[in-house]
Amino acid sequence: MSGFSYPHTCPLIDKEIGRAKGDLTTYARDLLRSYNIEISGKEMLLAGEELFSALSDIFEKTRKTNEDMRTEAHEQIVALEAENMELRALLYCQRIAS
């Protein structure tokens, strides 16, 4: 067995976090404009940052879950590789004995 062969997803998570930050900033701007509230670019960025900050814990929990799943997959693979080796050794011993 060669281990858990799936590319690391943190770069993808980071990319999506950046995208979400931009989307939230745009959403905050559009929401404020829908109420006829005009704000400066700086204020718009601040509103987006505040909205993102309120939700950023969700992204970090997603990252942590991803890391936990990867660790668990690795541990299961190691256990299966050990079991595989034991079974092969047992088979080998039985072949020699017969």
Side-chain angles (χ1 to χ4, degrees), residues 13-37:
I13 292 170
D14 289 339
K15 178 183 172 191
E16 293 303 312
I17 288 171
R19 196 183 108 221
K21 208 177 225 184
D23 289 351
L24 289 169
T25 299
T26 300
Y27 176 77
R29 181 200 65 208
D30 293 347
L31 180 65
L32 292 170
R33 284 184 179 166
S34 73
Y35 288 99
N36 294 319
I37 301 170

Side-chain angles (χ1 to χ4, degrees), residues 5 10 19-20 28 37 40 55 65 77 80 89 91 94-96:
S5 63
C10 283
R19 196 183 108 221
I37 301 170
S40 70
L55 300 173
T65 299
I77 289 167
L80 288 170
L91 262 173
Q94 286 178 348
R95 283 184 188 159
I96 290 184

Side-chain angles (χ1 to χ4, degrees), residues 47-66:
E49 288 285 334
E50 288 176 10
L51 185 54
F52 178 77
S53 179
L55 300 173
S56 65
D57 192 43
I58 294 167
F59 293 111
E60 291 311 315
K61 285 181 181 171
T62 300
R63 183 189 310 278
K64 177 74 171 106
T65 299
N66 180 58

